[in-house]
Amino acid sequence: GATWTPRANMGNSQFYAMTIDKLNPVRLYGGTQDNGTLRTLTGAINTWDHILGGDGFYTIVDHTNSAIIYAEFQNGNLRKSTNTGSSFFSAMTGIDYNNERHNWSTPIEMAPYNNNILYYGSNILYKTTNGASLWTAISGDLTNGPGAGNLGFGTITTIGASPNTAGVVYVGTDDANVWFTPDDGNNWTNISDGLPDRWITRVTVHPTDPATAYVTLSGYKVGDHAAHIYKTTNSGADWTPIGGNLFDAPINDVVIDPDHPESGL
């Protein structure tokens, strides 16, 4: 140990989340554990570069303008770039950050039908209609309150905005709550009945039917290794387990096959 040699090029990054630039599909962005937000503009293995520090998490590329990038580091610190990630500035005006709880991987989602509408979840849900220039709260606390210990429990973990119906949003939390609003937060319904008491990892809304959604759950926190995935066709009034013969492992995400939306997951 008298001398040490740095090895900063080890290929062992863990991606928390990734996204593809829809206008330039070779361009990939992703948030990594302890290694910030990374980017490749060519898709080649040796062209990844580091564009934002900390632990990297969700990244969004504006689906109408490839130069506009949203990225974050741990606990929901959101940043925006207007030059393809060459530089970033804070995009949190209106968020009462210091008085709210934020998940280590705070969710953010852009509405597919309007690039200026985004949603951000602390323990309450925020919405912006001007590309994160200003955020407005559209819910109260959607959790059961802060958890015990020094970690950020009692937080929103996933946001599912309907791809084709403005105002329809589903929200999941780390303490087993799933909420539904048909009108951008004017009315909220807790639709958790029928779901296990587990961490909600993802809510995915059907591309054309806003009443159909899928929820994935993880029991990792409590030593439950079952594969929990549920489906609703009536906005959460009823849930049907569809895990079938999936192997015993917590489920983190579900994606609907755009070519087979009725049966392809």
Side-chain angles (χ1 to χ4, degrees):
T3 60
W4 290 89
T5 301
R7 287 288 180 258
N9 61 346
M10 294 176 64
N12 55 1
S13 294
Q14 173 193 349
F15 280 91
Y16 282 114
M18 292 190 68
T19 192
I20 297 172
D21 181 344
K22 292 184 178 180
L23 299 179
N24 298 278
V26 298
R27 295 183 178 182
L28 310 176
Y29 296 80
T32 62
Q33 193 275 329
D34 263 350
N35 285 282
T37 300
L38 307 182
R39 169 195 69 181
T40 173
L41 297 180
T42 69
I45 292 177
N46 62 349
T47 61
W48 287 88
D49 58 343
H50 181 274
I51 59 175
L52 189 65
D55 290 81
F57 292 95
Y58 285 92
T59 307
I60 294 175
V61 183
D62 189 314
H63 48 74
T64 68
N65 185 346
S66 296
I68 298 177
I69 313 295
Y70 299 87
E72 60 181 355
F73 54 92
Q74 63 268 29
N75 298 313
N77 286 278
L78 181 64
R79 300 293 183 265
K80 180 178 180 179
S81 172
T82 57
N83 54 16
T84 322
S86 295
S87 62
F88 284 86
F89 54 88
S90 179
M92 302 187 68
T93 300
I95 296 174
D96 191 9
Y97 185 85
N98 292 327
N99 292 312
E100 295 167 2
R101 300 181 299 277
H102 297 79
N103 196 269
W104 183 248
S105 177
T106 295
I108 177 173
E109 178 158 339
M110 178 180 287
Y113 49 82
N114 188 327
N115 62 304
N116 287 311
I117 294 177
L118 294 92
Y119 298 92
Y120 173 101
S122 55
N123 55 299
I124 67 178
L125 189 68
Y126 283 89
K127 178 186 177 182
T128 178
T129 60
N130 51 21
S133 293
L134 179 66
W135 293 91
T136 302
I138 61 170
S139 81
D141 190 346
L142 297 178
T143 76
N144 298 330
N150 62 349
L151 298 178
F153 294 118
T155 62
I156 292 173
T157 53
T158 179
I159 303 165
S162 170
N164 77 331
T165 306
V168 172
V169 184
Y170 295 75
V171 170
T173 71
D174 60 21
D175 49 12
N177 288 314
V178 180
W179 291 84
F180 170 77
T181 176
D183 49 17
D184 261 339
N186 290 315
N187 295 278
W188 285 97
T189 303
N190 189 317
I191 55 172
S192 308
D193 285 350
L195 295 173
D197 184 13
R198 296 290 183 266
W199 186 298
I200 309 299
T201 55
R202 197 74 65 191
V203 179
T204 299
V205 188
H206 192 279
T208 59
D209 179 12
T212 296
Y214 300 85
V215 166
T216 61
L217 307 94
S218 171
Y220 182 81
K221 179 181 173 184
V222 293
D224 172 16
H225 300 290
H228 296 295
I229 177 169
Y230 285 74
K231 178 182 180 180
T232 181
T233 57
N234 51 16
S235 303
D238 298 291
W239 293 98
T240 302
I242 59 172
N245 60 351
L246 291 173
F247 56 87
D248 289 338
I251 300 178
N252 292 323
D253 202 355
V254 57
V255 177
I256 298 173
D257 185 338
D259 294 326
H260 303 281
E262 299 308 320
S263 59
L265 296 176

